């Protein structure tokens, strides 16, 4: 699936996810996230949510652009690695021009996949 123009992959810190604030967040354009994790549900984020136990959705109200991703240092690192495995990306160390519209957590982490399993 690696072809065409690289997908922007955003890495930034946000105050909106934990009481302590300053949480690591990584997001990419929704269509690229759906291509890797699948869609379904509200904002087409079910595949991402199943893979990580939650998802964050950001939207630029002026353009309608939607970004999906995850929060937490380990989740963000895994998200970036898996996106890189499936497509060319360009890392941007800034938040996208979008606001957080919804985030969901399933209350428990999904089982972690180890590279030496299956």
């Amino acid at each position: 699936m690696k072809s065409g123009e690289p997908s922007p992959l955003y890495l930034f810190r946000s105050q909106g996810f934990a009481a302590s604030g300053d949480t690591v967040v990584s997001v990419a354009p929704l269509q690229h996230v759906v291509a890797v994790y699948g869609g379904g549900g509200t904002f087409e984020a079910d595949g991402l949510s199943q893979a990580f136990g939650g998802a964050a959705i950001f939207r630029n109200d002026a353009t309608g652009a939607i970004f999906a991703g995850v929060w937490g240092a380990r989740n963000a690192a895994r998200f970036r690695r898996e996106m890189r495995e499936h497509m060319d990306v360009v890392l941007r160390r800034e938040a996208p021009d979008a606001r957080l519209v919804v985030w969901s957590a399933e209350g428990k982490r999904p089982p972690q996949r180890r590279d030496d399993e299956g």
Side-chain angles (χ1 to χ4, degrees), residues 42-90:
T42 306
F43 291 105
E44 292 293 319
D46 280 0
L48 182 64
S49 188
Q50 287 174 2
F52 288 93
I57 304 296
F58 291 76
R59 179 176 52 214
N60 179 309
D61 293 326
T63 66
I66 298 176
F67 303 87
V70 296
W71 64 96
R74 283 184 290 206
N75 280 348
R78 181 177 145 212
F79 176 76
R80 291 190 312 277
R81 183 185 77 242
E82 291 175 355
M83 292 294 290
R84 282 186 187 112
E85 288 172 358
H86 289 89
M87 66 186 60
D88 291 328
V89 301
V90 58

Side-chain angles (χ1 to χ4, degrees), residues 1-3 5-12 24-29 32-33 35-37 48 52 73-93 113:
M1 184 171 171
K2 288 188 174 192
S3 66
E5 193 170 318
S7 172
L9 187 57
Y10 296 89
L11 176 62
F12 58 99
V24 175
V25 180
S26 191
V27 301
H32 297 280
V33 174
V36 173
Y37 294 100
L48 182 64
F52 288 93
R74 283 184 290 206
N75 280 348
R78 181 177 145 212
F79 176 76
R80 291 190 312 277
R81 183 185 77 242
E82 291 175 355
M83 292 294 290
R84 282 186 187 112
E85 288 172 358
H86 289 89
M87 66 186 60
D88 291 328
V89 301
V90 58
L91 185 62
R92 296 190 178 160
R93 294 183 182 274
R113 180 184 70 98

